[in-house]
């Protein structure tokens, strides 16, 4: 077996990258996503990747997958029939939540508290109590637990989250609750907070556990369906429907089916939000870790591309059909957070720090009730898609009929993208795009070009604001970081973002529309473990710290062994969450390996003071009045996977004319170079695969490739670097 395939399922297209490990050959392609049954689009991508390499199912060494199944379920609030069991006296924990109000207390008059993830009538409590050290104050109420389990069984509620107070310190009571549920309600799908998030803060731990429980049945069915089809790939590379597999519209396998159904040959890995992958057999036990699966792969792929090109700290922008995801890479690694959320649900699991905005190629444009032009977040999706797809388009928000033009329609009308996608596989209906834009322009009292340019300007500012949110709000100067733009729509507004944000440059990798799928082939197996241990530094017991870290490393080692990694390949990354005494939130810093001694403690403290000063502008390094408090200890277990090699290419002759395929009329609407907003000009078109390192292009120009297009605006220049990346800069940057 020699072929590894990465598949990233997006809202519009499923991206595929296949690597031949023997020859190093990499091929990329796309296939339309199938929202009704994402497994269909997945298997179509596997077959297409194998066909491009002339391979069969027998040649498949591994498949890595980035999925939005869990994300979409949460964003669409499809969380029905969910139950919650907690400690007696704490039945209103979800109702109380946290005291914070979005956008500050100035918004408190207008803010309406959203519905709780589980309504209070589906919350049951059980007697028994632990203190913060795990010591038992009151014994577990076995009879009360059985009564609660039977109530959920009689009500037909089969998905249940369990979160007892202080179970992070001792999971004993939760494990006994799980035993009662298995006995009294065997059909129940159960998530325990001590297994999902062994960390204090009961509200966040409760919601995180409930989110895990909510997505577990869906993810189990989805993973099992794909694993079955992969296992049945015949020698032609075709996945046939097995006798136990449901077709779209038929009943799906029971969610309580053994997770072993997800264990198949070839190995099947699923991308996690923390920047690692895990086997499908294991990930069904912790499905919440996949909630930002797809965007995480893109950030990792961009980090590898940027580091190879000489940039260890960059902004990444992944533009898709429905949304744009932005992240920051510092010193070669995407930044992580445990303060993330998916939709309205806080999630304390470690995840790559990603900001998502509803600004993609399918984002619809319409007139708001106030009479202004609005773009996104509503999207036409993959079906029916933009008007230029020829399927009639999607109805705009607040309307009962009609079809709204999209960002893609604006690009098509202005000539910035070709009249076809995917190298001619998907022809575009330019007339339909123009007709939809004409209707919108008439409603706004604008000419056609100004309307289309306005749609793109709003979309660019939406993306720029997302970039500011993840840089400026985190103490970073956006002007110090190049941007890696990828995804099908990512490069389209790269020049405008350089203008708006003052970016030094934008780097467009080869096959930018498939970079997330490529990132899946660069990712190690990774699992995270955490334990809360609150202690002031002055009285820190290093023996206890060493014992906790050793226990976490043993957990990580067991998982890596299940994944097939010998002990000699196990890698462990330690980190710790610290704060100044009296603060409410912590700062995470890496912790050194080796013995836990005074040197270990001093190094962690120094890193904490440095990180606090970097984030907030001050620290209390030499002020004994402000004690440091240790809060959480963390270990990540890593099993390394061989990454594809990125090879430099020989320089060309310096004449990009070899790549020119012709010209077409394009409207850029730039003030740079003295162009009027409605000016059209004959613009040279270049094929990217014919450009060579050292080539320089100056705007206006359009660079086309399979899966993406780069409109090079007037006043900008593009250099092809030794790895085939396009580096876009202002031709004459301001002083």
């Amino acid at each position: 077996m020699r072929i590894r395939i990465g598949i990233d399922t997006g809202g519009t297209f499923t991206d595929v990258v296949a690597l031949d490990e023997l020859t190093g050959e990499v091929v990329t392609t796309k296939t339309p996503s199938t929202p009704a049954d994402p497994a269909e689009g997945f298997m179509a991508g596997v077959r297409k990747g194998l066909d491009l390499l002339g391979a069969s199912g027998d040649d498949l060494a591994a498949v890595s997958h980035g999925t939005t199944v869990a994300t979409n379920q949460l964003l669409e609030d499809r969380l029905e029939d969910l139950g919650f069991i907690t400690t007696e006296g704490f039945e209103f924990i979800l109702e109380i939540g946290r005291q914070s109000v979005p956008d500050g207390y100035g918004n408190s008059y207008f803010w309406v508290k959203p519905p709780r993830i589980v309504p209070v009538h589906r919350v049951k409590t059980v007697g028994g109590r632990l203190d913060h050290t795990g010591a038992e104050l009151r014994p577990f109420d076995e009879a009360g637990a059985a009564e609660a389990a039977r109530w959920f069984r009689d009500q037909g509620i089969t998905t249940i989250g369990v979160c007892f107070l202080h179970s992070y310190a001792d999971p004993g009571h939760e494990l006994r609750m799980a035993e009662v549920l298995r006995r009294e309600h065997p059909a129940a799908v159960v998530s325990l907070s001590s297994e999902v998030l062994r960390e204090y803060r009961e509200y966040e731990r409760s919601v995180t556990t409930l989110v895990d429980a909510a997505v577990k049945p869906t993810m189990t069915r989805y993973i099992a369906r794909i694993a079955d089809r992969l296992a049945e790939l015949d020698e032609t590379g075709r996945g046939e429907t097995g006798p136990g597999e449901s077709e779209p519209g038929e009943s799906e396998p029971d969610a309580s089916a053994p997770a072993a159904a997800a264990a198949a040959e070839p190995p099947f890995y699923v991308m996690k939000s923390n920047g690692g992958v895990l086997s499908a057999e294991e990930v069904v036990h912790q499905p919440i870790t996949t909630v930002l699966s797809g965007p995480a792969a893109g950030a990792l792929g961009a980090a590898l591309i940027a580091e190879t090109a000489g940039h260890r700290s960059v902004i990444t922008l992944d533009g898709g059909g429905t949304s744009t995801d932005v992240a920051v890479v510092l010193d070669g690694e995407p930044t992580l957070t445990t303060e993330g959320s998916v939709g309205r649900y806080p999630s304390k699991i470690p995840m790559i720090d990603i900001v998502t905005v509803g600004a993609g190629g399918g984002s619809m444009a319409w007139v708001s009730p106030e009479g202004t032009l609005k773009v996104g977040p509503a999207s036409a999706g993959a079906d029916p898609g933009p008007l230029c797809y020829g399927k009639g388009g999607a109805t705009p928000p607040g309307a009962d009929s009609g079809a709204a033009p999209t960002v893609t329609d604006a690009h098509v009308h202005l000539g910035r993208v070709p009249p076809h996608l995917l190298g001619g596989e998907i022809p575009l209906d330019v007339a339909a795009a123009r007709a939809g834009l004409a209707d919108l322009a008439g409603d706004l009292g604008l000419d056609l070009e100004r309307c289309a340019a306005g749609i793109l300007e709003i979309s660019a500012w939406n993306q720029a604001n997302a970039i500011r949110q993840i840089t400026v709000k985190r103490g970073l100067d956006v002007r110090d970081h190049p941007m890696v733009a990828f995804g099908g729509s990512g490069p389209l507004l790269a020049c405008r973002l350089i203008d708006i944000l003052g970016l030094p440059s934008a780097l467009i990798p080869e096959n930018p529309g498939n970079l997330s799928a490529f990132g899946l082939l660069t990712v190690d197996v990774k699992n995270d473990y955490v334990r809360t241990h609150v202690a002031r530094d002055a009285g820190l017991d290093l023996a206890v710290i060493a014992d906790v870290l050793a226990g976490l490393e043993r957990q990580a080692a067991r998982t890596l062994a299940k994944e097939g990694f010998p002990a000699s390949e196990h890698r462990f990354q330690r980190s710790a969450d610290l704060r100044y005494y009296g603060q409410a939130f912590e700062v995470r810093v890496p912790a050194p390996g080796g013995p836990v001694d005074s040197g270990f403690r001093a190094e962690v403290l120094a890193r904490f003071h440095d990180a606090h000063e970097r984030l907030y502008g001050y620290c209390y390094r030499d002020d004994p009045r402000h004690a440091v408090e240790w809060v959480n200890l963390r270990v990540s277990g890593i099993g390394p996977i061989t990454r594809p090699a990125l090879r430099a290419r020989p320089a060309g002759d310096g004449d990009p004319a070899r790549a020119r395929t012709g010209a077409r009329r394009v409207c850029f609407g730039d003030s740079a170079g003295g162009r009027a907003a409605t000016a059209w000009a004959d613009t040279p078109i270049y094929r990217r695969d014919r450009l060579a390192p050292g080539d320089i292009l100056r705007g206006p120009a359009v660079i086309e490739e399979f899966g993406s297009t780069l409109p090079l605006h007037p006043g900008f220049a593009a250099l092809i670097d030794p790895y085939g990346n396009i580096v876009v800069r202002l031709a004459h940057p301001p002083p």
Side-chain angles (χ1 to χ4, degrees):
M1 296 189 289
R2 57 189 176 88
I3 308 299
R4 285 171 53 203
I5 295 180
I7 294 186
D8 177 54
T9 301
T12 306
F13 291 106
T14 294
D15 303 330
V16 184
V17 173
L19 166 69
D20 188 326
E21 293 186 303
L22 295 182
T23 66
E25 181 182 2
V26 177
V27 297
T28 63
T29 188
K30 288 176 178 279
T31 187
S33 295
T34 52
D37 182 8
E40 287 291 336
F42 178 95
M43 290 309 302
V46 171
R47 292 191 291 268
K48 203 168 181 181
L50 290 172
D51 289 345
L52 287 172
L53 288 173
S56 70
D58 291 338
D59 298 313
L60 200 55
V63 179
S64 297
H65 181 34
T67 174
T68 57
V69 168
T71 311
N72 292 341
Q73 182 182 355
L74 296 174
L75 293 177
E76 295 167 16
D77 268 346
R78 292 186 280 111
L79 306 178
E80 299 177 2
D81 299 328
L82 188 60
F84 182 43
I85 300 175
T86 189
T87 301
E88 186 177 47
F90 286 81
E91 60 267 34
F92 297 113
I93 188 172
L94 300 177
E95 299 294 319
I96 297 170
R98 289 293 178 200
Q99 64 179 2
S100 59
V101 174
D103 301 321
Y105 281 96
N107 186 42
S108 60
Y109 180 80
F110 303 98
W111 181 67
V112 177
K113 194 170 186 176
R116 264 53 77 208
I117 187 171
V118 177
V120 70
H121 69 273
R122 292 211 298 265
V123 177
K124 292 297 175 183
T125 63
V126 174
R129 184 72 177 270
L130 306 175
D131 69 10
H132 71 283
T133 68
E136 187 175 82
L137 301 178
R138 290 198 300 271
F140 178 71
D141 182 0
E142 187 95 14
E147 182 181 351
R150 288 192 291 268
W151 185 88
F152 284 116
R153 182 194 63 198
D154 296 342
Q155 296 296 317
I157 296 171
T158 58
T159 307
I160 300 170
V162 179
C163 181
F164 290 152
L165 201 65
H166 302 309
S167 59
Y168 58 84
D170 185 338
H173 284 193
E174 286 194 355
L175 294 173
R176 291 179 65 184
M177 186 71 235
E179 292 174 5
V180 172
L181 285 166
R182 277 194 293 271
R183 183 180 70 241
E184 301 289 344
H185 191 5
V189 175
V190 180
S191 290
L192 305 180
S193 74
S194 54
E195 295 177 351
V196 174
L197 184 70
R198 200 162 173 181
E199 181 178 340
Y200 88 147
R201 289 200 174 97
E202 67 280 359
Y203 173 69
E204 286 81 1
R205 184 158 49 92
S206 297
V207 175
T208 302
T209 302
L210 287 165
V211 168
D212 182 80
V215 301
K216 190 173 286 184
T218 304
M219 282 297 295
T220 299
R221 290 192 293 264
Y222 175 65
I223 295 297
R225 196 156 57 238
I226 289 178
D228 287 345
R229 295 191 187 185
L230 284 173
E232 292 161 5
L233 277 173
D234 63 22
E235 60 185 16
T236 66
R238 303 290 174 182
E240 305 297 338
T241 301
E245 180 183 347
S246 62
E247 291 287 2
E250 297 181 359
S251 61
E252 295 178 315
D254 184 74
S256 61
E265 292 293 343
F268 176 31
Y269 296 104
V270 179
M271 183 72 202
K272 298 173 62 181
S273 310
N274 67 352
V277 293
L278 199 62
S279 69
E281 183 179 15
E282 290 296 319
V283 86
V284 294
H285 298 301
Q286 41 183 297
I288 191 175
T289 61
T290 70
V291 292
L292 287 179
S293 176
L300 287 158
L304 177 62
I305 295 287
E307 186 167 14
T308 304
H311 304 288
R312 288 185 53 79
S313 296
V314 296
I315 297 162
T316 72
L317 182 142
D318 181 1
T322 302
S323 61
T324 295
D325 303 305
V326 297
V328 173
V329 175
L330 297 177
D331 295 324
E333 295 289 341
T335 56
L336 295 174
T337 182
T338 56
E339 305 296 330
S341 62
V342 183
R344 60 187 179 91
Y345 306 110
S347 176
K348 288 283 288 180
I349 62 163
M351 59 177 67
I352 291 179
D353 194 1
I354 293 172
V355 172
T356 299
V357 61
S363 296
M364 291 189 283
W366 78 98
V367 180
S368 72
E370 296 79 22
T372 60
L373 176 62
K374 298 280 288 183
V375 181
S379 172
D383 188 11
L387 290 168
C388 59
Y389 280 20
K391 297 181 181 179
T395 303
D400 297 324
S401 60
T406 67
V407 170
T408 296
D409 294 315
H411 281 296
V412 168
H413 168 67
L414 296 175
R416 300 187 191 182
V417 300
H420 54 75
L421 296 178
L422 305 187
E425 291 185 22
I426 301 179
L428 300 180
D429 188 340
V430 179
R434 188 172 293 124
L437 287 165
D439 291 340
L440 180 63
D443 293 340
L444 293 167
L446 298 173
D447 61 50
L448 200 54
E449 284 70 31
R450 287 187 182 276
C451 178
I455 291 171
L456 300 185
E457 184 72 357
I458 292 173
S459 184
W461 277 91
N462 287 340
Q463 293 182 354
N465 288 336
I467 292 173
R468 285 195 177 105
Q469 185 176 339
I470 206 165
T471 53
V472 177
K473 283 191 174 183
R474 287 156 174 77
L476 301 173
D477 191 334
V478 67
R479 297 167 297 181
D480 294 338
H481 298 79
M483 177 181 71
V484 182
F486 58 98
S489 66
L492 289 169
L493 295 172
C495 291
R496 190 70 191 104
L497 289 171
I498 291 174
D499 258 341
I500 293 172
L501 296 168
L503 299 169
S505 64
L507 186 147
I508 317 298
E510 281 194 300
N511 300 304
N514 293 69
L515 187 64
S516 289
F518 173 79
L520 290 165
L521 301 181
T522 72
V523 179
D524 296 326
V525 170
K526 183 179 180 183
N527 223 10
D528 298 310
Y529 303 88
V530 60
R531 185 77 54 83
T532 291
H533 179 75
V534 181
R536 293 200 205 179
D537 181 69
L540 191 67
D541 188 335
L542 291 176
V544 174
I545 299 295
D547 184 61
V548 172
L549 288 173
L552 296 175
E553 288 173 356
R554 285 193 297 270
Q555 281 184 268
R558 285 194 294 270
T559 299
L560 291 173
K562 287 182 183 178
E563 296 286 335
F565 291 93
S568 60
E569 295 183 8
H570 294 183
R571 287 170 34 213
F572 304 110
Q573 287 183 347
R574 297 171 174 175
S575 59
D577 300 347
L578 284 76
R579 65 189 178 194
Y580 292 116
Y581 181 72
Q583 290 182 327
F585 293 95
E586 303 79 45
V587 175
R588 182 185 302 180
V589 294
V596 179
D597 52 18
S598 58
F600 170 92
R601 172 181 167 274
E603 181 64 25
V604 172
L605 287 176
R607 292 177 182 181
F608 165 68
H609 292 307
D610 290 343
H612 196 282
E613 186 169 25
R614 186 168 59 250
L615 283 169
Y616 303 113
Y618 72 95
C619 71
Y620 296 118
R621 186 190 311 272
D622 301 315
D623 189 341
R625 296 173 300 172
H626 296 277
V628 173
E629 194 169 44
W630 297 60
V631 178
N632 296 312
L633 300 170
R634 301 176 185 273
V635 168
S636 295
I638 299 171
I641 290 179
T642 304
R643 291 172 169 80
L646 299 176
R647 300 183 178 90
R649 301 178 181 181
D653 58 12
D655 182 7
R658 81 182 86 78
R660 182 166 175 172
T661 60
R664 68 168 174 265
R665 302 277 289 172
V666 178
C667 176
F668 281 100
D670 292 284
S671 59
R675 288 179 178 270
T678 57
W680 291 79
D682 289 328
T683 301
I685 310 299
Y686 295 88
R687 271 187 55 175
R688 180 166 183 176
D689 59 354
R690 296 179 183 174
L691 294 170
D695 288 347
I696 297 177
L697 301 175
R698 298 186 182 277
V702 176
I703 303 172
E704 297 177 353
E705 62 182 307
F706 182 90
S708 192
T709 300
L710 171 64
L712 189 65
H713 290 223
F716 287 83
L719 166 71
I720 311 302
D721 78 2
Y723 295 93
N725 303 305
I726 301 175
V727 182
V728 180
R729 292 187 176 91
L730 281 168
H732 303 289

